[in-house]
Amino acid sequence: MISQSTSMRSHLCGELRPEHIGTTVQICGWLSRRREHGEHLAFFDIRDHSGIVQCVVDRTVDVRSEYVVRITGVVRERPEGTLNTQIPTGAIEIGDCVVEVLNESEPPPFPIDSRADDVDENIRLRFRYLDIRRERMQKNIRLRAKINSAIRAAMELQEFVEVETPFLMPSTPEGAREFLVPSRKEPGSFYALPQSPQLWKQLLMVAGVDRYFQIARCLRDEDLRADRQYEFMQLDAEMSFVTQPDVLAAIGKAVTAAAEAATGVAVPPIEQITWHEAMNRFGVDKPDLRFGLELHELTDIFAATEFKAFSTAASIKGIRVDAATYPEQAASGRGRLDALTDRAKQVGAKGLVWLRVAEGKTFESPVAKFISATESAALCDRFGAVPGDLILIVADEWDTTCEVLGQLRNDIGRPPVHEGPYRYVWVIDFPLFVGIDAVTGRPKPGHHPFCHPHPDDLQYLDTEPLRVRAQAYDLVLNGWELGSGSIRIHEPELQRQVFNKLGISDEEADRRFGFFLQPFKYGAPPHGGFAFGIDRLTAILAGEDNIREVIAFPKTQSGSDPMTNAPTVVDAAQLNELGIRTLPPAVK
Ligand code: ASP
């Protein structure tokens, strides 16, 4: 570690060790705790970002919680029996102390230690500058910096060029709700804040930059959740003259470097799975590979069934809750089974069939009588089921069976997101379109409309659009989507076709994105890229299950900042200048 000594201090609090015994040191920091000791002395625990050190001070010194002090003293061994093995400086203390008060502090609203974990989040955020003084937040913020730095180094090593792109831009068709910024010079017109630098980075490819990256702030006006903030940071990258494996390899290196820098643990090569396989086996497009409970296809087993609920369904799938791994769930009584059924219905199933496996490949279940001996045996064999296991079956449309069982699988088996091992997976071959819009009758885009259709599927673009795969891919870690990317359309004619499919006419495309389409007429190279969320990656690697814990100044779930009170009302003069009149809040 490079010395952080300054003209005011010789050492950091947390760096003092027995090797410093006998040295006169000067430390600066905050009073974390004070304990009176006998008639004359007091112990001061002094904290800075590196840790805590104990100082033995005259008890008449008037220093209270969070006062800022400089202490000059001599490092000495702690008397026998008073060693503290809980902290790295626990073998020493500073004696013969001269204390200078650099600043006073009001009593803090919560203790600046792990006890604040239980304090209401609004209070933590209102006093975020005190919250960040705590070890947990200091660790998270520094981990984040390390991750950023490793990402930057990995990208530079691969000759990516860092380019900054504008914040004020026109509205774009990327799919998320945008934040708008009113123009003063052109009242009634608005800039959009970037939901991502997507357009810019593609233009940089037309511009011959070849390999671009940016640690970019993106803004989306979407409801906030544990893994979503209005503002978030992405590693954003784009490359020319590449196919999908090139992009995955380059991004894989950056993620791996970041994860290894953060955890010190080598990341094995990242596996790949197609979207279709992910849906079939895990029921979701962001599969958590840390646990089993995989979905199994059962449609063939019930090809000749007379059980009405099965015979009319397009797809039958099931999961086995094995009694060995999930004894509680497998052994659950009727209450639990009813709860599972309710959950399945809530996600969209018409019902849930449960079968408890009994001896001789038979089942205990209200519907057992509808299942023939051959079907029972085939079912048990497919799952490798043994007595005591519970089999859950959904029969419906393919996407419903996937979705419902995928949700039940996660409900039953998913560990907290940060619990190891870290399982990265590329999900590739996403569909270009996801379903048909009931109102317009047109296909809905799976991602942004710049994704290149899979060359093998171009032939279906007009006739069977839902069959067309995109050259689009996601990176998933422990069931969290870290990011996504694609090979882009670089042919203007194909881009026009895809826009048309989505109901964007040539005229509308020219009017809204002419600035983007025009350059593609000047020799756009084949290109592709990716972006992954640094907040999410950092949260998982920091062992946090909410990205707010790794963001210095996040917004609350409701999108406000209790410290600055943003968003705030602005005065009429400011609005006038922008040509804006606000409406009274809608009456509910
Ligand atoms: N712009 C996309 C996003 O932010 C990522 C990409 O396609 O590169 O999700």
Side-chain angles (χ1 to χ4, degrees):
M1 191 166 81
I2 290 194
S3 161
Q4 291 181 42
S5 72
T6 67
S7 49
M8 292 191 71
R9 69 180 176 209
S10 65
H11 291 81
L12 295 174
C13 300
E15 73 177 303
L16 297 174
R17 295 285 181 278
E19 74 208 52
H20 295 103
I21 288 170
T23 316
T24 299
V25 295
Q26 256 175 347
I27 54 149
C28 294
W30 288 264
L31 181 82
S32 170
R33 213 152 76 102
R34 116 172 236 167
R35 278 156 292 138
E36 309 308 321
H37 180 64
E39 265 175 55
H40 303 294
L41 295 177
F43 290 127
F44 284 10
D45 284 345
I46 304 298
R47 168 188 3 91
D48 65 14
H49 71 81
S50 67
I52 282 185
V53 66
Q54 173 171 298
C55 303
V56 185
V57 176
D58 188 306
R59 73 176 281 170
T60 56
V61 178
D62 181 20
V63 172
R64 302 179 206 168
S65 251
E66 299 310 308
Y67 274 34
V68 188
V69 293
R70 173 158 79 161
I71 292 185
T72 310
V74 180
V75 179
R76 64 190 191 199
E77 198 174 355
R78 287 201 194 188
E80 232 186 288
T82 63
L83 265 63
N84 179 353
T85 51
Q86 304 294 313
I87 55 172
T89 60
I92 55 97
E93 62 189 14
I94 304 180
D96 303 329
C97 291
V98 178
V99 180
E100 281 167 79
V101 173
L102 303 179
N103 214 345
E104 298 182 355
S105 170
E106 291 188 13
F110 48 77
I112 311 298
D113 55 34
S114 60
R115 283 171 292 173
D117 289 345
D118 301 325
V119 168
D120 179 68
E121 201 194 17
N122 270 296
I123 310 242
R124 283 179 60 203
L125 292 182
R126 191 158 133 223
F127 296 93
R128 190 60 156 180
Y129 42 88
L130 295 181
D131 193 29
I132 296 177
R133 248 183 228 169
R134 302 190 305 128
E135 188 186 352
R136 171 184 178 190
M137 297 305 294
Q138 289 285 330
K139 235 159 89 189
N140 288 353
I141 275 172
R142 280 158 214 279
L143 184 80
R144 186 184 178 109
K146 209 181 221 181
I147 286 174
N148 273 330
S149 155
I151 289 173
R152 184 167 269 122
M155 296 310 277
E156 285 173 353
L157 199 66
Q158 300 180 83
E159 305 284 351
F160 281 79
V161 181
E162 186 167 4
V163 184
E164 289 143 20
T165 53
F167 241 50
L168 297 176
M169 57 186 286
S171 185
T172 59
E174 269 202 80
R177 193 184 297 120
E178 294 168 320
F179 282 99
L180 296 177
V181 179
S183 157
R184 178 175 60 84
K185 296 267 190 202
E186 291 181 40
S189 292
F190 293 82
Y191 300 99
L193 296 178
Q195 44 186 302
S196 91
Q198 184 66 31
L199 302 188
W200 306 114
K201 65 177 172 177
Q202 291 197 240
L203 295 185
L204 288 171
M205 296 302 103
V206 180
V209 168
D210 199 83
R211 289 181 170 210
Y212 141 93
F213 88 99
Q214 183 179 193
I215 295 187
R217 183 174 301 275
C218 304
L219 296 108
R220 297 181 190 175
D221 189 0
E222 304 284 340
D223 289 342
L224 307 192
R225 297 188 310 224
D227 63 351
R228 198 188 272 165
Q229 281 274 306
Y230 287 151
E231 308 177 44
F232 57 95
M233 300 302 290
Q234 290 193 340
L235 165 70
D236 191 52
E238 198 73 12
M239 314 167 73
S240 285
F241 305 111
V242 287
T243 58
Q244 182 167 305
D246 300 308
V247 182
L248 302 196
I251 299 298
K253 279 186 190 152
V255 177
T256 303
E260 289 177 355
T263 62
V265 180
V267 177
I270 301 178
E271 54 195 296
Q272 295 185 14
I273 183 172
T274 65
W275 175 84
H276 209 262
E277 187 184 344
M279 296 302 289
N280 268 330
R281 287 175 53 198
F282 305 102
V284 290
D285 59 7
K286 32 180 188 284
D288 189 336
L289 304 187
R290 289 173 299 167
F291 64 104
L293 276 175
E294 285 193 27
L295 281 54
H296 281 66
E297 184 59 54
L298 308 175
T299 319
D300 57 319
I301 293 180
F302 294 103
T305 183
E306 295 189 349
F307 181 28
K308 217 25 197 310
F310 285 0
S311 63
T312 51
S315 160
I316 306 172
K317 282 186 190 297
I319 56 176
R320 172 176 75 113
V321 185
D322 61 298
T325 319
Y326 304 100
E328 240 168 71
Q329 277 95 338
S332 54
R334 276 312 278 265
R336 169 82 180 141
L337 292 167
D338 289 345
L340 284 172
T341 307
D342 289 347
R343 179 76 173 126
K345 287 186 181 157
Q346 189 191 19
V347 185
K350 290 195 263 305
L352 177 73
V353 167
W354 61 263
L355 307 169
R356 184 175 305 291
V357 181
E359 293 301 331
K361 298 186 180 174
T362 59
F363 300 123
E364 287 158 16
S365 162
V367 301
K369 54 181 176 291
F370 300 117
I371 298 177
S372 72
T374 327
E375 289 163 352
S376 302
L379 254 185
C380 286
D381 291 347
R382 180 133 322 159
F383 283 113
V386 295
D389 291 351
L390 182 68
I391 293 177
L392 303 175
I393 300 180
V394 176
D396 214 303
E397 295 300 321
W398 176 80
D399 38 3
T400 308
T401 56
C402 293
E403 198 181 333
V404 173
L405 286 169
Q407 192 58 58
L408 292 183
R409 172 181 181 267
N410 274 344
D411 286 357
I412 293 170
R414 191 159 176 226
V417 65
H418 54 264
E419 233 173 73
Y422 301 116
R423 291 294 301 270
Y424 298 83
V425 57
W426 291 108
V427 181
I428 60 170
D429 290 350
F430 270 75
L432 188 64
F433 303 112
V434 284
I436 302 288
D437 188 297
V439 179
T440 62
R442 293 188 177 280
K444 296 184 280 191
H447 197 25
H448 55 60
F450 314 117
C451 299
H452 203 291
H454 199 291
D456 295 348
D457 298 348
L458 273 174
Q459 50 184 321
Y460 309 118
L461 198 53
D462 276 330
T463 48
E464 291 176 81
L466 295 188
R467 191 170 164 180
V468 182
R469 286 165 299 166
Q471 284 179 291
Y473 30 85
D474 276 5
L475 180 59
V476 173
L477 170 56
N478 292 3
W480 264 15
E481 180 197 320
L482 280 188
S484 48
S486 57
I487 296 298
R488 323 295 185 186
I489 299 173
H490 65 279
E491 310 93 322
E493 173 54 25
L494 182 58
Q495 183 69 72
R496 196 185 59 76
Q497 259 179 289
V498 169
F499 272 146
N500 288 174
K501 275 255 136 322
L502 297 172
I504 303 176
S505 67
D506 292 355
E507 297 72 43
E508 187 184 350
D510 279 338
R511 181 171 50 78
R512 285 175 58 194
F513 326 117
F515 77 96
F516 178 66
L517 299 176
Q518 173 77 6
F520 277 68
K521 297 178 183 156
Y522 291 95
H527 61 285
F530 195 81
F532 72 77
I534 293 173
D535 310 276
R536 290 183 184 178
L537 180 63
T538 309
I540 299 173
L541 298 178
E544 300 285 2
D545 51 21
N546 194 314
I547 61 171
R548 292 198 287 271
E549 302 296 353
V550 297
I551 297 174
F553 299 107
K555 303 281 185 291
T556 60
Q557 184 98 7
S558 59
S560 60
D561 175 1
M563 186 174 68
T564 63
N565 287 327
T568 50
V569 171
V570 296
D571 61 32
Q574 214 173 338
L575 288 179
N576 275 341
E577 207 172 26
L578 297 167
I580 288 183
R581 294 222 195 305
T582 54
L583 293 171
V587 182
K588 294 213 176 111

